[in-house]
């Protein structure tokens, strides 16, 4: 496997691990990078000094390239960016906003910049502002999401920009990877499946909830407040739904979610924790080492492709 994304990032397989707040720690990022993909530490809402420690820890665990995902809605995003520019990981990915004002400083520091986008307009803007590649995330993904499906978003963005496009959202196995490449992507980003890796230090209750999830269990809340989030159905998502239907004030709905990720990830509270996960949770059935997960996306792609050719010849 060698695409221009591999060349750009200096990685063996064209796969990036999604920047999942609380879940994507130095341990997970290092394991993914050691397995030949690109691991990302998720800054989430963490203070800047915690992010600095995580970068240093990751550096001790791998000599391969890795990155940091900066969540731009975080109140600490500005300080986190400063720390990242000082520490110089190979890559910065961003989510939930427009990283435009940071791009020139990141480039000056020799850091590759890969914004997550959920629309064609944002992808074009990022290319114009100097992004090295874009991660195009469909609504199948977990966490904070856009509206367009991966199937419709990827080809439109591939047609609109010339920089590499990484497909994200709903890619659970090699079939999904082949489909993403068929749509014109140069790589894939995978989040949910890495929650169920041996190296991920999330609470086992969280991992088990992903393993048990079925096709309709990854639901969206927060559409009415303008920050839609996909997470596994539980008491918290039902409570959200109830408040949203009742037309409760914005502050009351928002307050429900505060600390939700920490409750899920650290305490294993599967009822009132926010079990962010994508629709692909239904296809994740075992806990494996990151290196095996990475290989599984690429090892039988030839069989899948020849299966398609056979079908089309009939
Ligand atoms: O960012 C994500 N996923 C996330 S962030 C997160 S933390 C959070 N917790 C509670 C509520 C909200 C967030 C959990 N999951 N994915 C990347 C992503 N970025 N998806 C969509 C976008 C996006 C949306 C709008 C990117 C750019 C954008 O542009 C806005 C603008 O300024 O035009």
């Amino acid at each position: 496997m060698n695409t221009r994304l591999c060349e750009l990032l200096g990685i063996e397989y064209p796969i990036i691990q999604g920047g999942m707040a609380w879940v994507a720690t130095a341990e997970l990022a290092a394991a993914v990078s050691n397995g030949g993909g690109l691991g990302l530490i998720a800054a989430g809402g963490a203070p800047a000094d915690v992010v600095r420690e995580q970068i240093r820890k990751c550096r001790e665990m791998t000599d391969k390239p890795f990155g940091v995902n900066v969540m731009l809605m975080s109140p600490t995003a500005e300080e986190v960016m400063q720390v990242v520019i000082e520490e110089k990981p190979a890559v910065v990915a961003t989510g939930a906003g427009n990283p435009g004002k940071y791009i020139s400083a990141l480039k000056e520091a020799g850091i590759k910049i890969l914004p997550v986008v959920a629309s064609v307009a944002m992808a074009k803007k990022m290319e114009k502002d100097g992004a090295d590649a874009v991660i195009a995330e469909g609504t199948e993904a977990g966490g904070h999401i856009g509206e367009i499906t991966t199937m419709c978003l990827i080809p439109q963005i591939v047609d609109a920009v010339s920089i590499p496009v990484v497909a994200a959202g709903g890619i659970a196995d090699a079939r999904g990877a082949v489909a993403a490449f068929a749509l014109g992507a140069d790589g894939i980003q995978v989040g949910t499946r890495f929650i169920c890796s041996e190296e991920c230090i999330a609470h086992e209750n969280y991992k088990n909830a992903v393993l048990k999830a079925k096709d309709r269990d990854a639901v969206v809340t927060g559409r009415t407040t303008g920050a839609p989030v996909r997470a596994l159905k539980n008491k918290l998502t039902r409570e959200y739904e109830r408040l949203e239907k009742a037309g409760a004030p914005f502050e009351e709905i928002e307050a429900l979610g505060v600390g939700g990720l920490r409750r899920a990830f650290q305490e294993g509270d599967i009822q009132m924790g926010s079990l962010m996960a994508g629709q692909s949770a239904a296809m994740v059935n075992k806990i494996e080492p990151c290196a095996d997960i990475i290989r599984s996306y690429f090892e039988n792609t030839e069989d899948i492709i020849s299966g398609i050719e056979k079908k089309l010849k009939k």
Side-chain angles (χ1 to χ4, degrees):
M1 287 304 298
N2 201 22
T3 70
R4 57 187 181 144
L5 187 79
C6 297
E7 306 279 330
L8 175 72
L9 304 178
I11 55 178
E12 196 183 337
Y13 297 98
I15 179 169
I16 300 176
Q17 160 248 314
M20 302 164 283
W22 289 93
V23 172
T25 60
E27 287 86 353
L28 182 61
V32 171
S33 289
N34 285 331
L38 185 85
L40 294 179
I41 296 165
D49 55 337
V50 171
V51 178
R52 193 191 299 277
E53 277 168 35
Q54 286 282 307
I55 296 171
R56 293 186 177 174
K57 189 171 180 185
C58 195
R59 227 171 233 140
E60 280 172 21
M61 299 170 84
T62 186
D63 52 13
K64 300 270 173 64
F66 67 89
V68 175
N69 177 291
V70 182
M71 206 275 279
L72 295 167
M73 269 173 21
S74 165
T76 63
E78 192 96 35
E79 296 99 277
V80 166
M81 271 301 183
Q82 205 42 55
V83 160
V84 165
I85 288 163
E86 285 164 26
E87 295 291 323
K88 299 185 178 44
V91 172
V92 162
T94 61
N98 178 352
K101 64 175 177 181
Y102 302 109
I103 293 182
S104 63
L106 288 165
K107 287 180 93 75
E108 261 168 49
I111 301 168
K112 301 274 190 290
I113 166 89
L114 280 71
V116 175
V117 299
S119 69
V120 174
M122 195 66 178
K124 282 165 105 167
K125 183 161 177 22
M126 292 299 97
E127 176 175 55
K128 190 160 157 265
D129 288 356
D132 294 283
V134 287
I135 302 168
E137 191 182 271
T139 195
E140 296 93 324
H144 177 59
I145 47 166
E147 280 179 20
I148 308 167
T149 60
T150 303
M151 186 81 136
C152 290
L153 186 65
I154 305 307
Q156 293 184 71
I157 292 186
V158 163
D159 288 347
V161 302
S162 351
I163 51 177
V165 176
V166 180
I171 304 171
D173 57 24
R175 294 170 298 179
V178 168
F181 289 110
L183 297 174
D186 299 281
I188 56 173
Q189 178 178 277
V190 171
T192 303
R193 198 160 157 205
F194 282 116
I195 300 173
C196 293
S197 64
E198 279 175 9
E199 295 91 344
C200 170
I201 63 171
H203 197 285
E204 66 167 305
N205 294 355
Y206 189 176
K207 293 185 176 184
N208 287 332
V210 174
L211 293 177
K212 275 196 353 217
K214 298 217 170 55
D215 53 355
R216 298 195 304 159
D217 288 343
V219 297
V220 181
T221 58
R223 287 204 204 273
T224 60
T225 62
V229 165
R230 188 183 298 284
L232 299 180
K233 203 192 284 181
N234 62 2
K235 197 166 172 201
L236 177 68
T237 65
R238 281 190 284 271
E239 192 61 13
Y240 260 114
E241 229 170 85
R242 192 181 66 75
L243 290 181
E244 286 190 66
K245 267 194 194 134
F250 177 82
E251 293 74 20
E252 196 184 337
I253 300 176
E254 287 287 288
L256 249 190
V258 173
L261 267 177
R262 190 187 47 75
R263 284 196 295 274
F265 168 82
Q266 272 190 334
E267 296 166 18
D269 181 349
I270 55 165
Q271 282 314 321
M272 286 308 283
S274 179
L275 304 171
M276 289 188 194
Q279 292 185 337
S280 67
M283 290 187 268
V284 180
N285 304 312
K286 57 179 179 217
I287 294 182
E288 299 169 279
C290 287
D292 291 0
I293 294 176
I294 293 168
R295 273 195 302 271
S296 78
Y297 276 95
F298 302 103
E299 67 197 354
N300 63 344
T301 49
E302 277 104 348
D303 294 345
I304 296 169
I305 295 164
S306 62
I308 297 171
E309 284 169 346
K310 250 202 228 147
K311 240 185 236 183
L312 293 178
K313 272 180 199 143
K314 270 196 174 169

